[in-house]
Amino acid sequence: MKAILIKGIRFYQKYISPLKSTKCPYFPSCSQYGLEAIEKYGAFKGSLLAIWRILRCNPFSKGGVDPVP
């Protein structure tokens, strides 16, 4: 499951993300954060961390540096 999620994120980063006109206000980007979280914590906990990060990423967020815990 972990490998499938990582491949999905890498596909998004390579083919879909460059087509978007807006950029993530956080560093690392939300997709990179998700990739790092899944690699570090596994499929379940890493996915939960990534989802929480994506929910916080909105036009009203200040953004900034937010590394994987």
Side-chain angles (χ1 to χ4, degrees):
M1 187 61 165
K2 181 178 171 180
I4 293 170
L5 292 171
I6 290 172
K7 285 181 183 182
I9 292 172
R10 290 193 194 271
F11 177 84
Y12 169 81
Q13 288 177 330
K14 188 171 183 178
Y15 297 107
I16 298 172
S17 184
L19 300 175
K20 291 175 45 182
S21 61
T22 60
K23 300 295 177 196
C24 184
Y26 287 103
F27 180 82
S29 69
C30 294
S31 60
Q32 185 64 35
Y33 181 94
L35 188 66
E36 292 174 14
I38 291 169
E39 287 175 343
K40 185 173 181 179
Y41 293 108
F44 182 72
K45 186 175 180 182
S47 294
L48 291 178
L49 286 169
I51 290 168
W52 178 243
R53 168 68 176 274
I54 291 168
L55 290 174
R56 291 182 291 151
C57 189
N58 60 63
F60 304 109
S61 116
K62 291 188 286 184
V65 177
D66 183 26
V68 175

